[in-house]
Amino acid sequence: MSTNEGVEIQQPGINVGQAQPNRRSAQPLTRQLIPHQTTAHPARIAPMAGSGASDEEVVLEIEHCIRIFKSGRVERYFGSDPVPPCTDAGTGVASKDHTISPEVAVRLYLPPVAATDGKKLPILVYFHGGGFVLHTAFNFVFHGYLTSLAARAGAIVVSVDYRIAPEHPLPAAYDDSWQALSWVASHAPGGGAGEEPWLTDHGDFSRLSLGGESAGANIAHHLAMRAGAEEGVLPHGARISGGILLVHPYFLGHGKVPSEDSDPGMAENVVKMWRAVRPGTSGVDDPWINPLAAGAPPMEALACGRVLMCLAETDVCRDRGRAYCDGLRASGWAGEVEVLEVAGQGHCFHLGNFGCDDAVRQDEVISRFLNL
């Protein structure tokens, strides 16, 4: 084990050592998306049964982010306002939106192609986090971060806007994300021209990766599992040939782990949040939230040859991510796992300041991963 500028190296992984996202107004926000999806605010869903609370009592509250009432009313305070696509003046990265279906849209990010000498670029299909209850993929946080990542990695990024809970309980997010991945795969060589020239003209499908942070990392795992269980299910023989990127993944499990002591209140909230997004769940050992649970699909079927796991020291989910890596290695899966752990940082710290030293180091490792 060696160290370099505060970066601790582990073989075969790497360890480097929480900023909150920028806050907007404390007034509840409407989830305003591009035309494929609109939700009036305050949103209403079917009343939640079994909580024992009166209709207007709060069943889940995360300060500055969301409040969910037993009556079905939802108030979101952050992450619902979109920003338009553009060409970024600082990096030259261009972005544009595409509606795949009434439920699903994507934002594509393309680095300046003049600098590539005609070489095709790796493709990252990216799923945003937010505990399945927050954010549009088109908000200012993800737009800024993915513009930066596309520039640093020299990769095409396809950011997926999926339906969120509790208005649209799981498995809606998984189904929408699979639809988006299938759309991307429809542009693979040998299947016709495809409708999106950024993918057909500039995308290298021999380096197709999935990734996301928090709930988005959870989605990336499950899509890779589905691709492995249903061989040939993606259009035109497309494969997850690059790997999967799991940043601070939202996984839970039975029994307490040490990382949950870093923020007991948040540790409690992520369990409550899971029950809100998947009504009727069996709990924290539901295979959708615990890939290591009894009854979960065997991880050896994961449809990629490489996994990059990014962890943060003070993240309550850190030890679940570590356990995932241990379970994957023990499963008989034939691929390679790389681990990056950032000291002194919390869950999704990079979204609060993606220009800080730790975030830049993390993105440099991600960029190398995407370009192999």
Side-chain angles (χ1 to χ4, degrees), residues 222-247:
H222 284 294
L223 266 57
M225 290 298 297
R226 178 172 175 178
E230 304 175 33
E231 187 174 352
V233 70
L234 290 173
H236 312 316
R239 298 183 301 108
I240 306 169
S241 44
I244 63 170
L245 164 66
L246 306 178
V247 181

Side-chain angles (χ1 to χ4, degrees), residues 50-364:
S51 70
S54 66
D55 280 355
E56 287 307 304
E57 284 198 43
V58 174
V59 295
L60 174 68
E61 180 171 12
I62 301 177
E63 188 177 7
H64 304 302
C65 292
I66 191 169
R67 183 181 294 162
I68 301 175
F69 297 82
K70 182 175 182 283
S71 65
R73 183 159 57 94
V74 182
E75 294 178 355
R76 292 184 174 88
Y77 298 87
F78 170 75
S80 298
D81 284 351
V83 296
C86 64
T87 298
D88 182 67
T91 63
V93 170
S95 56
K96 65 179 175 181
D97 296 339
H98 179 83
T99 299
I100 296 172
S101 73
E103 293 78 29
V104 186
V106 294
R107 177 163 292 181
L108 298 98
Y109 298 85
L110 179 69
V113 294
T116 67
D117 296 325
K119 295 179 181 178
K120 294 204 170 187
L121 307 175
I123 303 167
L124 171 63
V125 184
Y126 190 88
F127 310 100
H128 70 81
F132 299 104
V133 300
L134 286 169
H135 300 310
T136 165
F138 311 134
N139 72 26
F140 73 103
V141 172
F142 294 113
H143 179 83
Y145 173 65
L146 293 175
T147 295
S148 172
L149 182 61
R152 186 178 303 280
I156 298 171
V157 180
V158 183
S159 179
V160 179
D161 196 58
Y162 54 83
R163 290 172 294 170
I164 56 175
E167 298 94 329
H168 303 282
L170 295 177
Y174 299 121
D175 293 341
D176 293 353
S177 297
W178 181 261
Q179 188 179 155
L181 173 58
S182 297
W183 176 81
V184 172
S186 72
H187 296 80
E195 62 182 339
E196 177 44 63
W198 284 8
L199 293 173
T200 56
D201 295 347
H202 304 297
D204 180 357
F205 280 85
S206 71
R207 293 182 290 171
L208 172 64
S209 297
L210 309 184
E213 94 291 336
S214 193
N218 176 302
I219 291 172
H221 162 77
H222 284 294
L223 266 57
M225 290 298 297
R226 178 172 175 178
E230 304 175 33
E231 187 174 352
V233 70
L234 290 173
H236 312 316
R239 298 183 301 108
I240 306 169
S241 44
I244 63 170
L245 164 66
L246 306 178
V247 181
H248 312 159
Y250 179 27
F251 295 138
L252 299 175
H254 181 74
K256 187 177 180 181
V257 293
S259 61
E260 293 170 351
D261 290 333
S262 65
D263 189 340
M266 181 55 68
E268 181 180 354
N269 274 338
V270 294
V271 173
K272 289 181 180 178
M273 186 158 45
W274 175 247
R275 296 187 184 281
V277 303
R278 186 162 169 79
T281 180
S282 58
V284 296
D285 283 331
D286 185 325
W288 289 109
I289 197 64
N290 182 5
L292 304 176
M299 293 178 74
E300 64 181 325
L302 194 73
C304 62
R306 296 184 300 126
V307 171
L308 174 59
M309 173 69 74
C310 295
L311 304 173
E313 182 184 23
T314 63
D315 179 11
V316 297
C317 295
R318 180 200 65 200
D319 290 344
R320 303 296 181 188
R322 289 178 177 174
Y324 176 97
C325 294
D326 292 343
L328 184 58
R329 291 180 179 119
S331 71
W333 177 70
E336 298 180 357
V337 183
E338 181 178 0
V339 179
L340 175 86
E341 186 170 323
V342 180
Q345 297 284 8
H347 192 71
C348 297
F349 72 92
H350 58 292
L351 296 180
N353 181 4
F354 51 82
C356 74
D357 289 346
D358 284 338
V360 169
R361 291 188 187 109
Q362 178 173 281
D363 280 353
E364 286 174 345

